[in-house]
Amino acid sequence: MTVKIEVKEGGTPHNTIMWAGLLASLVCLYLGAGLNLAFNAYTFSFFGGLAAVCAIVWGSNTIKTLCSYGIGTGVPSTGYTSFGAGVIAMLLASRVSWYLAPIVLVIVAAIIGLILGYLANNVIMMKIPVLIKSTVELVMVGALVLMGLALMTTSSYSLLSMVSTQTSLLGLPVAGHAGSFIGIAIIAVAFILGMIAVQHPFNATLGPSWQQDRMLMLAAEVGFLTMIPVAFMSIAYLSPLAVIVSIVVSVGGWFYTYNQFLCLSKRDAAAWLDAKPIREPEGH
Amino acid sequence: MVENIVIGIGLTAFAGALASVAGAAEDVESDIGSQGDPNSQVQLAPQMGYIHRIFNKAVSGEPPAYGLWVALGAGLAAAFLQVNINPILALALGCAIATLVQGIYATTAYLGRIASLAKFGQPVYIDILKSMTTVTMAHAFIAIFTAVTMCYLMNAALGHPFPLALLGLVWGIALGAAGSATGNPFYGKERQYQNQKFGAGVPVAASGNIVRYAEAGERNSLDNGWFTAKLGGPASGVCFGLIVFLELWRTVLFESFWAGWGAIFVGLILILIFTFIDRYAEVWARETFGPYAKPEGAAK
């Protein structure tokens, strides 16, 4: 039995969140890759994680819009779809130069999402009014999150940095692909991390007393939470300073958003009780 | 050649033992957190007027959630191994960080779901978070650590071609699926719905009417963990242990036949054998215990 979900009016309009999320995510990607190139450093890789946070916030609201049409238990599967298609767009886009890659990523993701959405809506006959638009958005979100996490782990989102390790041994550059982002399948971890992160905010706050600001705060929280293990994994590719900066940014952001989410939950909860018995409602 | 096979069989048995522990811990963890399909009734209960003190932490279905925890532990361990950290330390550190992520996800899932049920007067019992999150994290750590160690054995000792993190993703999803399929009937039917007849399903009139009071006082999720640790957990452990053991056993022994097709052929035979066992057990259980001996429609 699925839970009935009511469509809530009010709050920030979805299109505003969509454009804000897309632009902020792109800006963060460019900032991270550009600053890393300009200073020839790894320190700005954490911008990739921030790009992922922006995309996750946007994606959670898209899932909310899509799942208002009664997809109760299908919430996690929307995450799978978006990331399964997003990884294709991400790998294709990583072939072009750094200043074109994010734009190519968004365009390729939109095309894949359009095809998937058309197949789901018109061939499998799901007939959900917002399905095509939502699928396009979700594939973009998946691709942006994956590219952001790739940037955060390897300091760049080019294919070369994803399939080879850039570490130097005794001052000599050592090239190898066995320990790379794709070689030891860190990309699989990024895939499942992002996928759970995108579906979790709505999946965890669905119900009759759903509130948009609480869900978006939770989305930011899981975004920063996703950054923490990614920061630890970047230890294999980045300089110690860059890893420490990434950990400080992600833990700081997580702490703030988690605290805010606690406050919002306290605001919305029917009661906030500590070690109290069950309160039976009237008539039971 | 023979020594290789003997070592392979020994590793297979060890991996199977690790998988048994992982399956048992996974099931108890998910039952304490009320994850998996019985959670739909726990989620529904307050809407039907049954306020409860169950830890409702649905991060997602068990297979994707465990895919994440185990892949995360394996991925972190793989990254630590890249910087030449001792393998045992790398595995333990990776799994510890993955467990922290699991615990944080669990708290936000509980708070979010319960706060969204405010309309029906379901309060947030903050003591549930304090007392149960750590218990689920402890079980999750055992499940993640044994599963990641098993993947490491496959990768490093048995020479599996997949990298550690990918093995973690695949086996994590399998672990969650095994625990979900085997353990959830114990948790859902025998615990949350123990007031219904065996085999009766959940009729609409009983929707959300989960068992909320214990022998003494009110039932919480630790009681459910205690109950499922007795039968549901070990059953899930046997299930996942058998999956891992038979999978590796057929590969180690029969891969050399017919250029690898021998292992696939033995796998097909195993599937057939288990299909017959499952069918026999199901029919036997319904005829022996169930009130519905006749097919539906002819009942009563």
Side-chain angles (χ1 to χ4, degrees):
Chain A
M1 185 163 295
T2 52
V3 180
K4 183 169 179 286
I5 303 151
E6 290 170 6
V7 183
K8 274 254 155 91
E9 296 300 325
T12 315
H14 176 63
N15 280 342
T16 314
I17 294 175
M18 178 180 84
W19 287 111
L22 177 62
L23 289 178
S25 193
L26 285 176
V27 166
C28 285
L29 282 175
Y30 277 122
L31 269 178
L35 288 174
N36 269 348
L37 277 176
F39 292 95
N40 196 20
Y42 297 141
T43 323
F44 302 98
S45 304
F46 69 87
F47 275 109
L50 296 182
V53 173
C54 301
I56 286 170
V57 170
W58 160 29
S60 72
N61 206 54
T62 307
I63 288 185
K64 154 70 185 137
T65 315
L66 175 62
C67 292
S68 303
Y69 291 86
I71 314 175
T73 49
V75 179
S77 48
T78 52
Y80 268 129
T81 317
S82 69
F83 277 74
V87 73
I88 304 171
M90 195 272 278
L91 286 177
L92 272 174
S94 67
R95 292 298 306 274
V96 297
S97 55
W98 74 271
Y99 51 88
L100 278 178
I103 302 294
V104 172
L105 174 94
V106 169
I107 294 169
V108 173
I111 294 169
I112 297 176
L114 207 61
I115 298 170
L116 281 181
Y118 177 79
L119 284 176
N121 207 36
N122 299 34
V123 179
I124 308 178
M125 305 291 262
M126 285 191 185
K127 297 285 178 199
I128 302 170
V130 294
L131 187 61
I132 294 179
K133 180 169 179 282
S134 297
T135 314
V136 170
E137 285 180 35
L138 281 172
V139 176
M140 284 184 195
V141 167
L144 283 169
V145 171
L146 281 169
M147 186 172 260
L149 296 184
L151 169 63
M152 190 174 173
T153 319
T154 66
S155 80
S156 152
Y157 42 68
S158 70
L159 190 64
L160 194 66
S161 74
M162 281 187 236
V163 296
S164 61
T165 42
Q166 303 161 315
T167 45
S168 61
L169 191 66
L170 302 172
L172 297 166
V174 178
H177 62 82
S180 63
F181 182 70
I182 292 178
I184 58 170
I186 300 296
I187 191 169
V189 184
F191 170 88
I192 191 86
L193 257 176
M195 175 251 146
I196 295 276
V198 162
Q199 61 83 26
H200 181 69
F202 179 62
N203 192 45
T205 56
L206 57 81
S209 307
W210 176 86
Q211 291 290 335
Q212 191 191 40
D213 57 349
R214 185 157 51 90
M215 182 190 74
L216 295 182
M217 190 53 78
L218 179 56
E221 190 266 340
V222 289
F224 283 111
L225 179 59
T226 301
M227 282 173 73
I228 296 175
V230 173
F232 276 105
M233 282 188 283
S234 67
I235 201 168
Y237 308 102
L238 304 184
S239 60
L241 177 69
V243 175
I244 291 169
V245 169
S246 288
I247 290 175
V248 167
V249 169
S250 49
V251 171
W254 170 78
F255 192 80
Y256 173 76
T257 47
Y258 190 72
N259 220 3
Q260 289 295 307
F261 175 70
L262 280 185
C263 296
L264 290 174
S265 298
K266 211 167 186 170
R267 179 199 72 189
D268 292 342
W272 193 266
L273 305 177
D274 195 355
K276 291 285 186 294
I278 292 173
R279 284 181 174 178
E280 292 292 359
E282 299 283 318
H284 267 270
Chain B
M1 177 66 194
V2 175
E3 276 176 15
N4 272 349
I5 289 182
V6 170
I7 291 173
I9 289 291
L11 284 170
T12 301
F14 188 39
L18 284 171
S20 304
V21 178
E26 191 275 347
D27 183 55
V28 178
E29 189 272 337
S30 73
D31 290 347
I32 293 173
S34 183
Q35 211 170 349
D37 55 275
N39 186 55
S40 62
Q41 293 295 322
V42 175
Q43 172 75 13
L44 189 65
Q47 310 195 25
M48 311 304 280
Y50 303 106
I51 305 297
H52 61 75
R53 279 173 53 86
I54 307 287
F55 188 21
N56 175 1
K57 67 146 192 82
V59 176
S60 74
E62 281 176 64
Y66 265 86
L68 171 58
W69 315 143
V70 178
L72 194 52
L76 285 160
F80 292 146
L81 286 171
Q82 285 297 307
V83 286
N84 292 323
I85 293 180
N86 176 305
I88 294 176
L89 193 62
L91 291 176
L93 267 179
C95 296
I97 296 171
T99 309
L100 282 176
V101 174
Q102 182 267 352
I104 294 163
Y105 263 104
T107 57
T108 54
Y110 175 76
L111 287 174
R113 286 244 164 155
I114 300 298
S116 286
L117 286 168
K119 194 175 178 182
F120 300 102
Q122 168 75 43
V124 170
Y125 291 106
I126 202 72
D127 58 305
I128 288 182
L129 275 188
K130 289 181 199 162
S131 58
M132 282 164 220
T133 311
T134 43
V135 182
T136 62
M137 283 170 74
H139 283 86
F141 179 77
I142 297 171
I144 298 167
F145 183 70
T146 46
V148 173
T149 310
M150 181 192 89
C151 296
Y152 181 74
L153 275 183
M154 287 184 201
N155 181 270
L158 287 175
H160 199 291
F162 282 10
L164 185 57
L166 194 56
L167 277 176
L169 179 60
V170 172
W171 283 111
I173 291 174
L175 170 62
S180 176
T182 316
N184 280 355
F186 286 89
Y187 167 59
K189 195 62 221 164
E190 304 294 321
R191 193 62 176 167
Q192 296 286 30
Y193 271 88
Q194 65 191 75
N195 49 7
Q196 300 288 313
K197 272 187 184 171
F198 177 83
V202 180
V204 178
S207 273
N209 187 9
I210 54 173
V211 178
R212 301 170 299 139
Y213 289 95
E215 294 83 351
E218 287 158 3
R219 184 176 283 178
N220 64 29
S221 288
L222 292 184
D223 301 330
N224 292 339
W226 167 81
F227 176 81
T228 46
K230 203 160 59 177
L231 290 169
S236 308
V238 169
C239 172
F240 189 57
L242 270 180
I243 292 172
V244 171
F245 177 79
L246 291 175
E247 156 69 19
L248 293 180
W249 173 80
R250 75 183 172 99
T251 313
V252 167
L253 277 192
F254 299 102
E255 203 179 19
S256 51
F257 295 95
W258 305 336
W261 285 93
I264 294 172
F265 182 70
V266 173
L268 285 175
I269 292 176
L270 282 175
I271 290 173
L272 279 178
I273 292 174
F274 275 98
T275 309
F276 283 117
I277 294 177
D278 291 349
R279 181 66 191 152
Y280 177 79
E282 187 197 338
V283 171
W284 178 82
R286 279 192 181 275
E287 283 178 355
T288 313
F289 304 116
Y292 302 134
K294 291 176 193 165
E296 279 181 41
K300 269 195 178 174

